[in-house]
Amino acid sequence: MVKREMYMKRIRPFIGTDLIKVMTGIRRCGKSVMLDLIKEELTASGITPTQFISINFEDLNYSHLQTAKALHDEITNRAKTISGKVYLFFDEIQEVEDWEKCINSLRVTLDCDIYITGSNAKLLSGELSTYLGGRYVEFVIYPFSFAEFLELYRPIAPNESIQQYFQKYLISGGMPYLANIRYEDDAARLYLHDLFNSVQLKDIVKRNKIRDVDLLERIISYVIANIGTTFSANSLARFLKNEHRTVAPETILNYIKYCCDAYLFYQVKREDLQGKQILSSNEKYYIADHGIREAVFGGNMRDINLILENIVYLELMRRNYNVTVGRTSDKEIDFVCDKQGEKLYIQVCYLLASEETIQREFGVYDNIRDNYPKYVVSLDEFDMSRNGIKHRNIRDFLLADEWN
């Protein structure tokens, strides 16, 4: 089990407090394992496992507990038999109707420490905010980083080079379960395809009561093909019109939002760096796991520049950066990153193969006059840093503890 210290470091200060700890992220990204890691820490600190109550609501054995009242009664009764603080672990809580009422009541009436996971961003909107009013803290969990992938893949293929490891990561992605099938190509592709279908059906179609599944599939295919590329709802509407589907841009935006709510895609807004304002159109989207893209759509090696960008974006999110796409006059910077006022600029490309490419990639920073770190990240093995702009090999960049 990968210890996922990056997340544990953030969760640890809240263990034992009355704040509800909420872990969200795409289905099968490792949220349940986070609950196991928290249990390990609690046990190591002297808490006995008899104080734990754990329920996974995807398990049919608990289908009778999928209403707020039934769950509340069950937990209240079980808590009476436990001496000391009760530790509650609820996996995929969104399966419980009116679950937020139950959780809030348990928080108020029991001496308890609550941890929940869910696969939908709407988990923390609307009613939950009303019921819990700042009484929760959220942690978004992502698939494995390259560093975490290495931890599991290295023992499987100990004689391969770091270049071969990274090539495997480009194809396989970071879904944790793949280690259980030893990253076998065919088995991995089948698993990721089934996972994608599950996200599409359970977390998007059923949850949002979508009737036009064909339209949803076309929109998802378009976004997957164009990750990291700016496009508008209008341009997608024109594309669909060519396929003899007339769709309003608002419908397209709604469907894409449903996908983002299910953590299949992440939206990145564009920022005018000179006017200091967020631009309202032509966002970029990245997929939660590039291995899913390879399994469903294929072509990761053909579109390697987009995949590298996707990988860097997710690494920035893991490290808690706020990320926008930067625009300055006629140039665009892939990522403008901010963490508590500390900024970072990152430009991602495949290879700096010609002087023209070098000028283009480093030249995006010409109009940026501040002293924050500026990076060009690529697969090149040689350091081509210049004019105060740092060039890094993408593998080294992903494995570095800090960027400065």
Side-chain angles (χ1 to χ4, degrees), residues 100-145:
E100 54 277 338
K101 294 177 185 175
C102 170
I103 295 294
N104 192 45
S105 179
L106 293 172
R107 182 186 67 76
V108 171
T109 57
L110 290 181
D111 176 16
C112 63
D113 188 11
I114 304 175
Y115 302 84
I116 63 179
T117 79
S119 301
N120 197 284
K122 281 197 272 191
L123 202 66
L124 295 176
S125 63
E127 280 190 79
L128 177 57
S129 302
T130 309
Y131 277 101
L132 300 181
R135 297 278 182 186
Y136 65 87
V137 57
E138 181 192 12
F139 307 93
V140 181
I141 309 299
Y142 299 92
F144 283 158
S145 65

Side-chain angles (χ1 to χ4, degrees), residues 238-257:
R238 284 193 297 273
F239 168 79
L240 290 168
K241 195 170 183 181
N242 291 336
E243 295 199 339
H244 311 294
R245 292 297 312 255
T246 303
V247 190
E250 293 74 30
T251 304
I252 290 169
L253 288 173
N254 283 337
Y255 277 31
I256 294 177
K257 185 181 185 305

Side-chain angles (χ1 to χ4, degrees), residues 199-398:
V199 170
Q200 185 172 276
L201 182 64
K202 291 184 182 175
D203 300 323
I204 302 173
V205 174
K206 277 189 179 174
R207 182 156 298 280
N208 300 289
K209 300 180 173 65
I210 290 174
R211 289 194 295 270
D212 195 342
V213 178
D214 175 68
L215 175 62
L216 175 71
E217 287 174 350
R218 286 168 190 255
I219 291 171
I220 289 176
S221 292
Y222 184 92
V223 178
I224 285 178
N226 291 282
I227 56 164
T229 308
T230 51
F231 64 85
S232 66
N234 287 325
S235 63
L236 182 39
R238 284 193 297 273
F239 168 79
L240 290 168
K241 195 170 183 181
N242 291 336
E243 295 199 339
H244 311 294
R245 292 297 312 255
T246 303
V247 190
E250 293 74 30
T251 304
I252 290 169
L253 288 173
N254 283 337
Y255 277 31
I256 294 177
K257 185 181 185 305
Y258 298 151
C259 295
C260 292
D261 285 343
Y263 296 100
L264 178 61
F265 300 133
Y266 291 92
Q267 183 195 69
V268 189
K269 293 193 175 296
R270 294 162 72 238
E271 177 185 5
D272 184 334
L273 296 177
Q274 281 148 332
K276 305 290 184 194
Q277 64 185 28
I278 296 294
L279 302 168
S280 61
S281 64
N282 290 14
E283 296 91 352
K284 285 187 177 185
Y285 293 89
Y286 293 97
I287 192 167
D289 179 68
H290 56 279
I292 292 176
R293 185 187 191 271
E294 175 66 26
V296 173
F297 182 75
N300 275 12
M301 298 311 288
R302 182 191 63 231
D303 301 327
I304 190 165
N305 54 325
L306 302 181
I307 302 306
L308 296 179
E309 221 176 280
N310 205 101
I311 288 170
V312 170
Y313 170 74
L314 283 175
E315 188 64 25
L316 290 165
M317 299 305 287
R318 283 186 200 97
R319 299 191 189 207
N320 252 10
Y321 281 95
N322 290 318
V323 181
T324 56
V325 176
R327 194 185 76 180
T328 165
S329 61
D330 61 337
K331 297 189 171 91
E332 199 164 82
I333 297 167
D334 289 333
F335 302 121
V336 180
C337 321
D338 187 289
K339 190 197 285 185
Q340 296 165 339
E342 287 299 309
K343 283 181 94 167
L344 195 67
Y345 299 95
I346 301 171
Q347 189 69 7
V348 183
C349 72
Y350 171 38
L351 290 171
L352 296 167
S354 66
E355 191 57 37
E356 184 189 348
T357 308
I358 292 169
Q359 293 295 343
R360 185 182 69 242
E361 300 299 338
F362 283 84
V364 298
Y365 296 122
D366 286 349
N367 299 325
I368 308 293
R369 300 292 177 215
D370 62 35
N371 292 317
Y372 291 115
K374 299 167 185 69
Y375 283 94
V376 173
V377 175
S378 74
L379 268 174
D380 296 278
E381 301 290 343
F382 300 106
D383 187 344
M384 299 189 205
S385 302
R386 58 181 64 196
N387 306 328
I389 300 163
K390 302 171 186 180
H391 171 244
R392 293 287 182 274
N393 174 277
I394 190 168
R395 299 186 306 271
D396 298 337
F397 186 77
L398 295 170

